[in-house]
Amino acid sequence: MIKTIHAPLRSEELEGLRAGDSVQLSGVIYTGRDAAHKRLCALVAEGKPLPFALRNQVIYYAGPCPAKPGDPIGSCGPTTSYRMDAYAPTLCDLGLIGMIGKGQRSEAVVEAIRRNGGVYFAATGGAGALIATSVKSAEVIAFEDLGTEAIRRLEVENLPLIVAIDAHGGNLYEEGPARYRR
């Protein structure tokens, strides 16, 4: 069964999700990769305001390709998430509740997800063109000088995802392989 959720996320929506669940996400999310995360955390360290409020938001670890004429965005596949692991706990503690990417996360990130009742979603690597069909609008909102790595505000509809790490600490990257060990 595919569960439908909406961003910004609500804690109540996340409590019922378990690692391995299929979801479709609709609403507003933001893109950001390692260069943008580094800048966000530098702003936090300097006590400066962030370009968007993190509370209950979702960041998609993606650097979209340029859009073809008439399209809101180009191919928009996930990037490997571990590059954001140095920054994710800080952002989670400030209210970030959802992250989308691919690949395993560090123990510090798993703990931050659990501590803050968040979730880490996996998007299918290599499916950037398909994922882009879920994007209805895209707008650069911060760090335009980073080009493809600028922070974008995306409106998405039925973005297909898998819950990789749930709010309770369930971790598909550990549980999945464990099912096949003898």
Side-chain angles (χ1 to χ4, degrees):
M1 180 174 95
I2 298 173
K3 299 179 180 184
T4 302
I5 58 175
H6 296 87
L9 299 173
R10 296 184 336 256
S11 295
E12 305 81 49
E13 279 184 304
L14 302 182
E15 289 173 6
L17 296 178
R18 296 293 182 263
D21 285 351
S22 294
V23 300
Q24 288 185 330
L25 175 65
S26 296
V28 173
I29 65 174
Y30 298 86
T31 64
R33 289 178 44 150
D34 41 325
H37 277 70
K38 183 177 182 178
R39 287 192 187 177
L40 290 172
C41 286
L43 290 172
V44 170
E46 295 167 8
K48 294 182 178 175
L50 297 177
F52 66 99
L54 289 175
R55 177 105 5 239
N56 298 330
Q57 298 300 335
V58 177
I59 293 182
Y60 179 26
Y61 302 149
C65 294
K68 293 178 183 174
D71 289 344
I73 203 163
S75 183
C76 190
T79 195
T80 305
S81 301
Y82 75 82
R83 292 196 307 262
M84 276 55 72
D85 282 4
Y87 313 109
T90 297
L91 301 180
C92 289
D93 289 343
L94 291 172
L96 179 67
I97 200 166
M99 296 164 281
I100 303 169
K102 66 179 181 182
Q104 296 184 36
R105 306 306 301 270
S106 70
E107 191 54 43
V109 174
V110 174
E111 175 54 32
I113 291 168
R114 191 168 27 134
R115 178 174 63 245
N116 292 290
V119 67
Y120 169 57
F121 299 104
T124 303
L130 176 62
I131 291 169
T133 65
S134 294
V135 178
K136 303 308 171 192
S137 71
E139 170 190 14
V140 173
I141 64 159
F143 314 139
E144 188 171 3
D145 62 300
L146 294 178
T148 191
E149 292 198 38
I151 294 179
R152 288 170 172 76
R153 179 186 185 275
L154 305 182
E155 289 185 40
V156 298
E157 186 177 299
N158 298 324
L159 177 63
L161 303 167
I162 302 293
V163 176
I165 302 171
D166 64 38
H168 311 283
N171 187 336
L172 187 61
Y173 293 104
E174 293 175 0
E175 297 167 12
R179 291 182 198 149
Y180 299 98
R181 289 191 192 117
R182 294 181 187 224

